[in-house]
Amino acid sequence: MKLSVVLATRNEEANIERCLKSVKNIADEIIVVDEYSTDKTAEIAKRLGAKVYEEPHHDVFHITKQKAIEKAKGDWILQLDADEVVIKELAEEIKEVINMTSEEICRRRPSSMKKWRLFQRHQSIIEERDGKLGEKGEIVAFFIPRLNMFLGKPLIHAGVYPDAVIRLIKNGKAYLPAKSVHEQMKIQGEVAWLFNDLEHYDSPTFSRYLSRANRYTSLTAAEFKVKKVSKNFLSLIYYSFLKPFSVFVNLYIKNKGFEDGMRGFVWSIFSAFHFPIAYFKYWSGEAL
């Protein structure tokens, strides 16, 4: 068995069919660990040939994702979210690289050097934030660039693209610590890149975006609680004004969010609002 596709789900009947159909021609098995969905998520997954397992809901969804990874039998694992779609070009690339040696993978480059430099810069930013990813040696994991569909169209600027995520991994060589929604996978080997995009339909409507934003601000508030962030006047000023101002300037001006029009402005301003909202939740005792 060469490739296992694994998902963790909860009430994803609007997305699950599109996702699973996008991988049906490359997956040797599809595993869905479902958090007792109250809609037709599990029924649709079973109809499309997935092995479905039930799991209680966890506030840190990575716990369920890791359980899905652990059930995979394939040599390689492609971990997806239900609102993601593997386009044809990405599917072909995945089939190609899982049959390559590490030396062959290292020689690969995208057709555009501008894109390659963008990927390398993005990885540097991630490693500056989260620490060095992996270690020299066999290539056991791949970043996949995500193309985020925001309010009906791809969002290219505002620091969003390539929004790379480590999703294709060699079985037994990577895992999620399952402590935070923002964490990176821990890799026992070297990380490379795939070049074709993974389409991400997380915010097709503004209502959906606000719903997800509410969940993520609650998770950040919980992280503030764990870190015991101060509730004094200086912290209030920092998270209410300084931090959001810095985020907005970075996304809308430095990363050219203005080039995506109104959608770029909405993304930038609400990304900035994330921090005061999360801080107020934490300050008022609403953290998880």
Side-chain angles (χ1 to χ4, degrees), residues 147-148 153-162 255-256 260 263:
L147 188 62
N148 289 287
K153 294 181 180 179
L155 192 65
I156 305 299
H157 302 93
V160 175
Y161 188 81
N255 284 287
K256 302 181 179 180
D260 282 312
R263 292 178 306 107

Side-chain angles (χ1 to χ4, degrees), residues 13 22 25 30 44-45 55 99 103 113 125 134 150 194 214 249 276 284:
E13 67 176 7
S22 76
N25 292 328
I30 299 175
I44 295 170
E55 176 72 17
N99 288 295
E103 290 75 16
M113 288 309 297
I125 292 171
F150 184 63
L194 298 183
N214 182 55
V249 169
S284 64

Side-chain angles (χ1 to χ4, degrees), residues 188-239:
Q188 300 170 7
E190 195 165 347
V191 183
W193 280 79
L194 298 183
F195 306 140
N196 290 287
D197 295 331
L198 178 66
E199 292 183 347
H200 187 206
Y201 293 84
D202 70 323
S203 301
T205 65
F206 191 59
S207 295
R208 168 76 170 175
Y209 172 74
L210 290 178
S211 175
R212 291 174 63 87
N214 182 55
R215 174 172 174 264
Y216 284 119
T217 52
S218 294
L219 290 168
T220 300
E223 291 180 0
F224 287 164
K225 183 177 180 180
V226 171
K227 294 176 181 177
K228 298 181 179 180
V229 171
S230 297
K231 295 184 179 181
N232 57 28
F233 181 72
L234 290 178
S235 291
L236 177 65
I237 295 299
Y238 176 75
Y239 287 108

Side-chain angles (χ1 to χ4, degrees), residues 258-272:
F258 57 85
E259 292 194 12
D260 282 312
M262 178 59 76
R263 292 178 306 107
F265 177 80
V266 171
W267 177 269
S268 300
I269 196 70
F270 277 88
S271 295

Side-chain angles (χ1 to χ4, degrees), residues 7-53:
L7 294 87
T9 58
R10 187 184 187 208
N11 294 331
E12 291 283 0
E13 67 176 7
N15 294 310
I16 188 73
E17 183 167 353
R18 177 181 57 196
C19 177
L20 297 188
K21 283 184 175 180
S22 76
V23 295
K24 66 179 182 179
N25 292 328
I26 62 171
D28 294 302
E29 69 170 356
I30 299 175
I31 292 171
V32 173
V33 178
D34 183 66
E35 291 191 341
Y36 290 102
S37 290
T38 56
D39 63 7
K40 296 181 180 180
T41 299
E43 177 185 329
I44 295 170
K46 289 176 183 177
R47 174 167 56 82
L48 293 172
K51 302 173 186 175
V52 179
Y53 303 86

Side-chain angles (χ1 to χ4, degrees), residues 133-151:
L133 296 171
E135 56 196 43
K136 287 292 183 181
E138 178 188 12
I139 292 175
V140 299
F142 289 88
F143 275 112
I144 304 179
R146 284 199 301 186
L147 188 62
N148 289 287
M149 302 295 178
F150 184 63
L151 307 184

